[in-house]
Amino acid sequence: MVLHIFSLIFFILASLAGNATIFSEDVVTLDGRQWTAATNGEPIKLSEANEFCNRLELGGHSDWQMPKLDHLKLLYDPEQPTGIRSPIKIASCCVWSSTSLADLAAEGFDVPGYSPAAYNWGFMFDGGLDYYAGDFYDDGEALCTRQ
């Protein structure tokens, strides 16, 4: 418990300094893919989530990235209280993906003045649904992955 609290404090301070580092016990391997054991801890904008994962150094690796929507969907577990496979922890309902609407079209998308590339898909673990949003609001958390 004390180590986990220390890890969290260290992580927050490192994040504020622009160089996030988490201890290696905070890496989870599921289905051959590595994940951070927790998100950044709160909903943030898409660009902030992308930057968070791109700057992350964890478990001796610096090639972390935001997951594709298909990878997030594999983490959905309706039997878990938060809807995400254990032991991964999320603070809210939603996690950003790297999949844009240019990569995977949304039926009926028509936002005047914006292209589909300006929007990304996310996944709502509390209901098992995908959604899309732009970089305008704090609409998802950052959960990072690597192969």
Side-chain angles (χ1 to χ4, degrees):
M1 177 73 172
V2 172
L3 180 60
H4 184 69
I5 292 171
F6 175 75
S7 297
L8 182 60
I9 292 169
F10 181 79
F11 171 72
I12 291 169
L13 292 175
S15 294
L16 292 174
N19 185 19
T21 302
I22 303 174
F23 294 107
S24 62
E25 55 267 3
D26 288 330
V27 174
V28 175
T29 301
L30 296 170
D31 304 325
R33 185 166 207 72
Q34 288 188 328
W35 297 89
T36 52
T39 64
N40 63 303
E42 64 183 350
I44 56 177
K45 291 177 179 59
L46 171 62
S47 58
E48 295 168 341
N50 192 42
E51 182 177 346
F52 178 87
C53 290
N54 288 339
R55 292 180 138 199
L56 184 64
E57 293 181 18
L58 172 63
H61 301 283
S62 59
D63 59 343
W64 294 94
Q65 58 191 335
M66 288 190 344
K68 294 179 180 177
L69 180 61
D70 289 346
H71 293 142
L72 283 178
K73 287 181 176 184
L74 293 174
L75 297 179
Y76 178 60
D77 182 354
E79 301 299 317
Q80 295 295 325
T82 58
I84 195 165
R85 287 172 65 182
S86 181
I88 297 177
K89 306 283 186 236
I90 58 176
S92 69
C93 66
C94 306
V95 176
W96 284 110
S97 85
S98 64
T99 306
S100 76
L101 267 66
D103 301 324
L104 178 64
E107 188 175 322
F109 177 81
D110 185 22
V111 179
Y114 291 96
S115 80
Y119 290 80
N120 273 45
W121 289 99
F123 195 75
M124 299 171 68
F125 285 95
D126 63 349
L129 302 170
D130 42 332
Y131 69 95
Y132 62 86
D135 194 30
F136 318 110
Y137 305 103
D138 299 341
D139 281 339
E141 296 178 46
L143 179 66
C144 309
T145 189
R146 63 180 300 278
Q147 187 62 28

